[in-house]
């Protein structure tokens, strides 16, 4: 079955795009833990990250690195935290989250709400550093 992220890749549903190349896409998490919370996905739909072939796994992580470097320039924070969970959407995705302390990576924290305008503005701003 097509994942919601495959529908984003196909342009069937919208996203706040941060960066893209032929094989990978970075966009804002719709339910962010922090301002500028980004998801990085391979365009090919593979549920479990460790089922990716080695080359796709390496290139996905290199793409995520370039996005994280851009995020750090765009957003005031200590670090960009990295995690993979994947219990909700069966399409490999890396969470990149601007953090100041370890608890900022806690997915039980209350999510933040930003306007469409603000989400678009953040996505565009990170993109200027790619
Ligand atoms: P998990 O699979 O547990 O890593 O969580 C999936 C993540 O995808 C959650 O943080 C959701 O907020 C996020 N998410 C789900 N649907 C969308 C969407 N249409 N656009 C952006 N992010 C989404």
């Amino acid at each position: 079955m097509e994942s919601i992220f495959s529908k984003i890749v196909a342009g069937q549903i919208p996203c706040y795009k941060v960066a893209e190349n032929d094989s990978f896409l970075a966009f804002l998490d719709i339910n962010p833990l922090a301002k500028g919370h980004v998801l990085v996905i391979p365009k090919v739909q593979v549920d479990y990250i460790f089922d990716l072939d080695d080359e796709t796994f390496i290139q996905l992580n290199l793409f995520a690195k370039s996005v994280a470097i851009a995020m750090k320039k765009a957003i005031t924070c200590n670090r960009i935290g990295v995690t993979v969970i994947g219990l909700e959407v069966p399409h490999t995705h890396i969470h990149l989250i601007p953090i100041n302390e370890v608890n900022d990576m806690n997915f039980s924290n209350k999510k933040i709400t930003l306007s469409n305008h603000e989400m678009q503005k953040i996505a565009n701003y990170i993109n200027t550093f790619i």
Side-chain angles (χ1 to χ4, degrees):
M1 199 179 112
E2 226 186 18
S3 73
I4 190 146
F5 293 167
S6 286
K7 289 184 178 158
I8 287 176
V9 170
Q12 289 161 1
I13 63 170
C15 71
Y16 299 101
K17 190 189 295 182
V18 168
E20 180 176 27
N21 66 18
D22 285 349
S23 305
F24 307 104
L25 177 66
F27 53 96
L28 295 185
D29 192 302
I30 204 77
N31 204 10
L33 268 177
K35 189 170 164 179
H37 179 167
V38 168
L39 301 177
V40 181
I41 67 167
K43 290 186 175 176
V44 57
Q45 182 177 330
V46 172
D47 177 0
Y48 185 44
I49 189 167
F50 297 122
D51 285 334
L52 291 174
D53 64 78
D54 289 355
E55 189 56 25
T56 305
F57 180 83
I58 289 165
Q59 294 305 325
L60 172 68
N61 279 278
L62 288 175
F63 183 75
K65 178 182 176 183
S66 67
V67 174
I69 288 170
M71 289 169 65
K72 183 71 175 63
K73 290 177 182 159
I75 296 163
T76 305
C77 60
N78 247 341
R79 300 235 159 178
I80 303 301
V82 185
T83 194
V84 176
I85 301 176
L87 293 173
E88 190 186 313
V89 178
H91 185 139
T92 293
H93 50 285
I94 297 175
H95 292 262
L96 297 177
I97 306 171
I99 57 170
N100 292 305
E101 55 184 74
V102 66
N103 193 47
D104 295 341
M105 291 294 288
N106 184 347
F107 276 73
S108 302
N109 288 348
K110 194 170 182 296
K111 305 298 187 296
I112 63 167
T113 307
L114 299 167
S115 67
N116 293 345
H117 176 70
E118 193 149 19
M119 292 284 274
Q120 193 60 66
K121 220 171 93 181
I122 298 161
N124 291 347
Y125 189 55
I126 297 169
N127 178 263
T128 63
F129 293 96
I130 298 282

